[in-house]
Structure formats: C-alpha cells, structure tokens
Short mmCIF file of all heavy atoms in Angstrom, two decimals:
data_model
loop_
_atom_site.label_atom_id
_atom_site.label_comp_id
_atom_site.label_asym_id
_atom_site.label_seq_id
_atom_site.Cartn_x
_atom_site.Cartn_y
_atom_site.Cartn_z
N ILE A 1 0.84 -1.20 0.00
CA ILE A 1 0.00 0.00 0.00
C ILE A 1 0.87 1.25 0.00
O ILE A 1 0.58 2.22 -0.71
CB ILE A 1 -0.94 0.00 1.22
CG1 ILE A 1 -1.83 -1.25 1.21
CG2 ILE A 1 -1.80 1.26 1.24
CD1 ILE A 1 -2.71 -1.38 2.43
N VAL A 2 1.95 1.23 0.80
CA VAL A 2 2.85 2.39 0.88
C VAL A 2 3.51 2.66 -0.47
O VAL A 2 3.58 3.81 -0.92
CB VAL A 2 3.93 2.17 1.96
CG1 VAL A 2 4.96 3.29 1.93
CG2 VAL A 2 3.29 2.09 3.34
N ILE A 3 3.98 1.60 -1.13
CA ILE A 3 4.62 1.75 -2.43
C ILE A 3 3.65 2.32 -3.45
O ILE A 3 3.98 3.24 -4.22
CB ILE A 3 5.18 0.39 -2.93
CG1 ILE A 3 6.36 -0.04 -2.06
CG2 ILE A 3 5.61 0.49 -4.39
CD1 ILE A 3 6.85 -1.45 -2.34
N ILE A 4 2.42 1.79 -3.45
CA ILE A 4 1.40 2.29 -4.38
C ILE A 4 1.07 3.74 -4.09
O ILE A 4 0.90 4.57 -5.01
CB ILE A 4 0.14 1.41 -4.30
CG1 ILE A 4 0.42 0.04 -4.91
CG2 ILE A 4 -1.04 2.07 -5.00
CD1 ILE A 4 -0.69 -0.95 -4.78
N LEU A 5 0.99 4.09 -2.79
CA LEU A 5 0.70 5.47 -2.41
C LEU A 5 1.81 6.40 -2.89
O LEU A 5 1.52 7.50 -3.41
CB LEU A 5 0.57 5.56 -0.88
CG LEU A 5 0.17 6.92 -0.29
CD1 LEU A 5 -1.21 7.33 -0.78
CD2 LEU A 5 0.20 6.88 1.23
N ILE A 6 3.06 5.99 -2.76
CA ILE A 6 4.19 6.81 -3.19
C ILE A 6 4.18 6.98 -4.71
O ILE A 6 4.34 8.10 -5.23
CB ILE A 6 5.52 6.19 -2.74
CG1 ILE A 6 5.63 6.26 -1.20
CG2 ILE A 6 6.71 6.91 -3.38
CD1 ILE A 6 6.83 5.51 -0.64
N VAL A 7 3.97 5.86 -5.43
CA VAL A 7 3.99 5.90 -6.90
C VAL A 7 2.89 6.81 -7.43
O VAL A 7 3.13 7.70 -8.26
CB VAL A 7 3.83 4.48 -7.49
CG1 VAL A 7 3.61 4.55 -9.00
CG2 VAL A 7 5.06 3.64 -7.18
N PHE A 8 1.66 6.61 -6.93
CA PHE A 8 0.55 7.43 -7.42
C PHE A 8 0.64 8.85 -6.90
O PHE A 8 0.13 9.78 -7.52
CB PHE A 8 -0.78 6.78 -7.04
CG PHE A 8 -1.23 5.72 -7.98
CD1 PHE A 8 -0.77 4.41 -7.84
CD2 PHE A 8 -2.09 6.00 -9.03
CE1 PHE A 8 -1.17 3.42 -8.72
CE2 PHE A 8 -2.49 5.02 -9.91
CZ PHE A 8 -2.03 3.72 -9.77
N GLY A 9 1.31 9.04 -5.73
CA GLY A 9 1.53 10.39 -5.24
C GLY A 9 2.44 11.17 -6.16
O GLY A 9 2.19 12.35 -6.46
N ILE A 10 3.51 10.53 -6.62
CA ILE A 10 4.43 11.16 -7.57
C ILE A 10 3.71 11.48 -8.88
O ILE A 10 3.87 12.56 -9.46
CB ILE A 10 5.65 10.26 -7.81
CG1 ILE A 10 6.48 10.12 -6.53
CG2 ILE A 10 6.52 10.81 -8.95
CD1 ILE A 10 7.59 9.10 -6.61
N MET A 11 2.89 10.52 -9.35
CA MET A 11 2.14 10.74 -10.59
C MET A 11 1.14 11.87 -10.44
O MET A 11 0.92 12.65 -11.36
CB MET A 11 1.44 9.43 -11.00
CG MET A 11 2.39 8.32 -11.40
SD MET A 11 1.55 6.74 -11.72
CE MET A 11 0.59 7.16 -13.19
N ALA A 12 0.52 11.96 -9.24
CA ALA A 12 -0.43 13.04 -8.99
C ALA A 12 0.26 14.39 -8.97
O ALA A 12 -0.28 15.40 -9.45
CB ALA A 12 -1.15 12.80 -7.66
N LEU A 13 1.47 14.44 -8.43
CA LEU A 13 2.24 15.69 -8.42
C LEU A 13 2.54 16.15 -9.85
O LEU A 13 2.59 17.35 -10.13
CB LEU A 13 3.56 15.49 -7.66
CG LEU A 13 3.49 15.65 -6.13
CD1 LEU A 13 4.80 15.23 -5.50
CD2 LEU A 13 3.16 17.10 -5.76
N GLN A 14 2.75 15.18 -10.73
CA GLN A 14 3.04 15.48 -12.12
C GLN A 14 1.79 15.66 -12.97
O GLN A 14 1.86 15.93 -14.17
CB GLN A 14 3.91 14.37 -12.72
CG GLN A 14 5.27 14.24 -12.03
CD GLN A 14 6.06 13.05 -12.54
OE1 GLN A 14 5.52 12.15 -13.20
NE2 GLN A 14 7.35 13.03 -12.23
N GLY A 15 0.63 15.51 -12.31
CA GLY A 15 -0.64 15.69 -13.02
C GLY A 15 -1.01 14.55 -13.93
O GLY A 15 -1.84 14.71 -14.83
N GLN A 16 -0.42 13.38 -13.71
CA GLN A 16 -0.66 12.24 -14.58
C GLN A 16 -1.69 11.26 -14.03
O GLN A 16 -2.11 10.34 -14.72
CB GLN A 16 0.66 11.48 -14.84
CG GLN A 16 1.71 12.32 -15.53
CD GLN A 16 3.01 11.57 -15.69
OE1 GLN A 16 3.12 10.41 -15.30
NE2 GLN A 16 4.02 12.21 -16.26
N SER A 17 -2.08 11.43 -12.76
CA SER A 17 -2.99 10.47 -12.16
C SER A 17 -3.71 11.10 -10.99
O SER A 17 -3.30 12.13 -10.46
CB SER A 17 -2.21 9.22 -11.71
OG SER A 17 -3.06 8.31 -11.05
N ASP A 18 -4.82 10.45 -10.57
CA ASP A 18 -5.55 10.86 -9.38
C ASP A 18 -5.22 9.88 -8.26
O ASP A 18 -5.30 8.66 -8.44
CB ASP A 18 -7.05 10.85 -9.67
CG ASP A 18 -7.85 11.51 -8.55
OD1 ASP A 18 -7.32 11.58 -7.42
OD2 ASP A 18 -8.98 11.95 -8.80
N LEU A 19 -4.89 10.39 -7.10
CA LEU A 19 -4.45 9.57 -5.99
C LEU A 19 -5.59 8.87 -5.25
O LEU A 19 -5.39 7.88 -4.57
CB LEU A 19 -3.66 10.46 -5.00
CG LEU A 19 -3.04 9.82 -3.77
CD1 LEU A 19 -1.96 8.82 -4.17
CD2 LEU A 19 -2.46 10.89 -2.86
N SER A 20 -6.80 9.35 -5.41
CA SER A 20 -7.91 9.08 -4.48
C SER A 20 -8.21 7.61 -4.22
O SER A 20 -8.20 7.17 -3.06
CB SER A 20 -9.19 9.76 -4.99
OG SER A 20 -8.96 11.13 -5.20
N PHE A 21 -8.51 6.84 -5.25
CA PHE A 21 -9.13 5.54 -5.04
C PHE A 21 -8.15 4.38 -4.88
O PHE A 21 -8.47 3.40 -4.21
CB PHE A 21 -10.09 5.22 -6.20
CG PHE A 21 -11.35 6.01 -6.16
CD1 PHE A 21 -11.42 7.27 -6.70
CD2 PHE A 21 -12.48 5.49 -5.55
CE1 PHE A 21 -12.59 8.02 -6.64
CE2 PHE A 21 -13.67 6.22 -5.49
CZ PHE A 21 -13.71 7.48 -6.04
N VAL A 22 -7.00 4.48 -5.48
CA VAL A 22 -6.12 3.31 -5.58
C VAL A 22 -5.66 2.74 -4.23
O VAL A 22 -5.79 1.54 -4.00
CB VAL A 22 -4.90 3.63 -6.47
CG1 VAL A 22 -3.96 2.43 -6.54
CG2 VAL A 22 -5.36 4.02 -7.86
N PRO A 23 -5.11 3.55 -3.30
CA PRO A 23 -4.63 2.96 -2.03
C PRO A 23 -5.71 2.22 -1.24
O PRO A 23 -5.46 1.13 -0.72
CB PRO A 23 -4.11 4.19 -1.26
CG PRO A 23 -3.77 5.18 -2.31
CD PRO A 23 -4.81 4.99 -3.37
N ALA A 24 -6.90 2.81 -1.13
CA ALA A 24 -7.96 2.17 -0.34
C ALA A 24 -8.44 0.88 -0.99
O ALA A 24 -8.65 -0.13 -0.30
CB ALA A 24 -9.13 3.14 -0.16
N LEU A 25 -8.62 0.89 -2.31
CA LEU A 25 -9.04 -0.32 -2.99
C LEU A 25 -7.96 -1.40 -2.90
O LEU A 25 -8.26 -2.59 -2.79
CB LEU A 25 -9.36 -0.02 -4.46
CG LEU A 25 -10.65 0.77 -4.70
CD1 LEU A 25 -10.77 1.18 -6.17
CD2 LEU A 25 -11.88 -0.05 -4.29
N THR A 26 -6.70 -0.96 -2.93
CA THR A 26 -5.59 -1.90 -2.75
C THR A 26 -5.64 -2.51 -1.35
O THR A 26 -5.36 -3.71 -1.17
CB THR A 26 -4.24 -1.20 -2.97
OG1 THR A 26 -4.21 -0.62 -4.27
CG2 THR A 26 -3.09 -2.20 -2.82
N SER A 27 -5.99 -1.70 -0.36
CA SER A 27 -6.07 -2.21 1.02
C SER A 27 -7.13 -3.30 1.15
O SER A 27 -6.96 -4.25 1.92
CB SER A 27 -6.37 -1.06 1.99
OG SER A 27 -7.70 -0.61 1.87
N VAL A 28 -8.23 -3.17 0.39
CA VAL A 28 -9.26 -4.21 0.41
C VAL A 28 -8.71 -5.51 -0.16
O VAL A 28 -8.93 -6.59 0.38
CB VAL A 28 -10.50 -3.76 -0.40
CG1 VAL A 28 -11.53 -4.89 -0.48
CG2 VAL A 28 -11.14 -2.54 0.24
N MET A 29 -7.97 -5.38 -1.28
CA MET A 29 -7.39 -6.57 -1.89
C MET A 29 -6.35 -7.21 -0.97
O MET A 29 -6.26 -8.44 -0.86
CB MET A 29 -6.74 -6.20 -3.23
CG MET A 29 -7.71 -5.69 -4.29
SD MET A 29 -8.97 -6.92 -4.74
CE MET A 29 -10.42 -6.26 -3.89
N VAL A 30 -5.55 -6.35 -0.30
CA VAL A 30 -4.55 -6.87 0.63
C VAL A 30 -5.21 -7.59 1.79
O VAL A 30 -4.73 -8.63 2.26
CB VAL A 30 -3.66 -5.71 1.15
CG1 VAL A 30 -2.80 -6.18 2.33
CG2 VAL A 30 -2.76 -5.19 0.04
N PHE A 31 -6.35 -7.06 2.25
CA PHE A 31 -7.04 -7.68 3.38
C PHE A 31 -7.53 -9.08 3.03
O PHE A 31 -7.70 -9.92 3.93
CB PHE A 31 -8.22 -6.82 3.83
CG PHE A 31 -8.86 -7.29 5.10
CD1 PHE A 31 -8.28 -7.00 6.32
CD2 PHE A 31 -10.02 -8.06 5.08
CE1 PHE A 31 -8.84 -7.45 7.50
CE2 PHE A 31 -10.59 -8.51 6.26
CZ PHE A 31 -10.00 -8.20 7.48
N MET A 32 -7.75 -9.35 1.75
CA MET A 32 -8.17 -10.69 1.35
C MET A 32 -7.16 -11.75 1.76
O MET A 32 -7.50 -12.92 1.93
CB MET A 32 -8.38 -10.74 -0.17
CG MET A 32 -9.49 -9.86 -0.72
SD MET A 32 -11.10 -10.21 -0.03
CE MET A 32 -11.33 -8.78 1.03
N SER A 33 -5.89 -11.31 1.93
CA SER A 33 -4.85 -12.28 2.31
C SER A 33 -5.11 -12.87 3.69
O SER A 33 -4.66 -13.99 3.98
CB SER A 33 -3.47 -11.61 2.29
OG SER A 33 -3.39 -10.58 3.26
N THR A 34 -5.85 -12.16 4.56
CA THR A 34 -6.14 -12.71 5.89
C THR A 34 -7.01 -13.95 5.79
O THR A 34 -6.87 -14.88 6.59
CB THR A 34 -6.84 -11.66 6.79
OG1 THR A 34 -8.12 -11.32 6.25
CG2 THR A 34 -5.99 -10.40 6.90
N PHE A 35 -7.91 -13.96 4.81
CA PHE A 35 -8.74 -15.15 4.59
C PHE A 35 -7.87 -16.32 4.12
O PHE A 35 -8.07 -17.46 4.53
CB PHE A 35 -9.83 -14.86 3.55
CG PHE A 35 -10.95 -14.00 4.04
CD1 PHE A 35 -10.93 -12.63 3.81
CD2 PHE A 35 -12.03 -14.54 4.72
CE1 PHE A 35 -11.98 -11.83 4.25
CE2 PHE A 35 -13.06 -13.75 5.17
CZ PHE A 35 -13.04 -12.38 4.94
N SER A 36 -6.90 -15.99 3.24
CA SER A 36 -6.00 -17.04 2.73
C SER A 36 -5.17 -17.64 3.85
O SER A 36 -4.99 -18.86 3.93
CB SER A 36 -5.09 -16.45 1.65
OG SER A 36 -5.83 -15.96 0.56
N TYR A 37 -4.63 -16.77 4.73
CA TYR A 37 -3.84 -17.25 5.86
C TYR A 37 -4.68 -18.14 6.77
O TYR A 37 -4.22 -19.19 7.24
CB TYR A 37 -3.27 -16.08 6.65
CG TYR A 37 -2.19 -15.31 5.95
CD1 TYR A 37 -2.14 -13.91 6.00
CD2 TYR A 37 -1.18 -15.96 5.23
CE1 TYR A 37 -1.15 -13.19 5.36
CE2 TYR A 37 -0.19 -15.25 4.58
CZ TYR A 37 -0.18 -13.86 4.65
OH TYR A 37 0.81 -13.15 4.01
N ASP A 38 -5.91 -17.69 7.07
CA ASP A 38 -6.79 -18.47 7.94
C ASP A 38 -7.10 -19.83 7.33
O ASP A 38 -7.13 -20.85 8.02
CB ASP A 38 -8.10 -17.70 8.19
CG ASP A 38 -7.89 -16.48 9.10
OD1 ASP A 38 -6.82 -16.39 9.72
OD2 ASP A 38 -8.80 -15.64 9.15
N GLU A 39 -7.34 -19.81 6.02
CA GLU A 39 -7.70 -21.04 5.32
C GLU A 39 -6.51 -22.00 5.29
O GLU A 39 -6.66 -23.21 5.52
CB GLU A 39 -8.14 -20.70 3.89
CG GLU A 39 -8.83 -21.82 3.16
CD GLU A 39 -9.40 -21.37 1.82
OE1 GLU A 39 -10.44 -20.69 1.81
OE2 GLU A 39 -8.77 -21.67 0.78
N TYR A 40 -5.33 -21.45 5.03
CA TYR A 40 -4.13 -22.29 4.93
C TYR A 40 -3.78 -22.91 6.28
O TYR A 40 -3.37 -24.08 6.36
CB TYR A 40 -2.96 -21.44 4.42
CG TYR A 40 -1.64 -22.19 4.35
CD1 TYR A 40 -1.38 -23.08 3.29
CD2 TYR A 40 -0.67 -22.01 5.33
CE1 TYR A 40 -0.18 -23.77 3.24
CE2 TYR A 40 0.54 -22.70 5.27
CZ TYR A 40 0.78 -23.58 4.23
OH TYR A 40 1.96 -24.26 4.16
N ASN A 41 -3.91 -22.13 7.34
CA ASN A 41 -3.56 -22.61 8.69
C ASN A 41 -4.73 -23.27 9.43
O ASN A 41 -4.60 -23.61 10.61
CB ASN A 41 -3.04 -21.43 9.54
CG ASN A 41 -1.72 -20.89 9.02
OD1 ASN A 41 -0.71 -21.57 9.06
ND2 ASN A 41 -1.72 -19.66 8.53
N LYS A 42 -5.86 -23.42 8.72
CA LYS A 42 -7.06 -24.03 9.30
C LYS A 42 -7.46 -23.36 10.62
O LYS A 42 -7.79 -24.02 11.61
CB LYS A 42 -6.85 -25.54 9.50
CG LYS A 42 -6.47 -26.27 8.21
CD LYS A 42 -6.43 -27.75 8.40
CE LYS A 42 -5.93 -28.45 7.15
NZ LYS A 42 -6.72 -28.15 5.95
N PHE A 43 -7.38 -22.02 10.60
CA PHE A 43 -7.65 -21.26 11.82
C PHE A 43 -9.13 -21.30 12.21
O PHE A 43 -9.47 -21.25 13.39
CB PHE A 43 -7.21 -19.80 11.62
CG PHE A 43 -7.51 -18.90 12.78
CD1 PHE A 43 -6.72 -18.92 13.92
CD2 PHE A 43 -8.60 -18.04 12.74
CE1 PHE A 43 -7.01 -18.11 15.01
CE2 PHE A 43 -8.89 -17.22 13.82
CZ PHE A 43 -8.10 -17.24 14.96
N ASP A 44 -10.01 -21.39 11.22
CA ASP A 44 -11.44 -21.33 11.50
C ASP A 44 -11.89 -22.46 12.42
O ASP A 44 -12.75 -22.25 13.29
CB ASP A 44 -12.24 -21.39 10.19
CG ASP A 44 -12.03 -20.15 9.34
OD1 ASP A 44 -12.75 -19.17 9.55
OD2 ASP A 44 -11.13 -20.17 8.48
N ALA A 45 -11.31 -23.64 12.23
CA ALA A 45 -11.68 -24.78 13.07
C ALA A 45 -11.38 -24.50 14.54
O ALA A 45 -12.11 -24.95 15.43
CB ALA A 45 -10.94 -26.03 12.60
#
C-alpha cells in the first residue's frame, strides 16, 4: 500500500494520475490475504 501510495503520489504531483481511489481499494485486496492465511492454517476450526 505504501509503495502504491508513493507511486501514485508522484504521478499526482506530475498531473498524470488521481491519488484518491487506488490505495484504499488496494487495502481491500490486501485484506483478502487474511482469509487465505486463515484457510491455509485451518484457523477457522
């Protein structure tokens, strides 16, 4: 998320992109990994 924020922040400074949506939507995708970890480690049981 930090890397994406920095990259899109630089692009926004140059007027090439909008910073608004990408980091938060990325955070949702990153959060999906918690389900994968739980599933792999059989945490739900």
Side-chain angles (χ1 to χ4, degrees):
I1 301 175
V2 173
I3 291 172
I4 289 175
L5 184 63
I6 292 172
V7 170
F8 277 85
I10 294 172
M11 293 174 66
L13 275 172
Q14 297 174 345
Q16 298 177 1
S17 177
D18 191 338
L19 182 64
S20 306
F21 286 85
V22 178
L25 288 172
T26 302
S27 72
V28 175
M29 296 298 105
V30 168
F31 188 80
M32 296 302 108
S33 64
T34 65
F35 287 96
S36 299
Y37 290 139
D38 289 346
E39 193 173 284
Y40 177 78
N41 293 294
K42 303 187 185 303
F43 177 77
D44 293 274

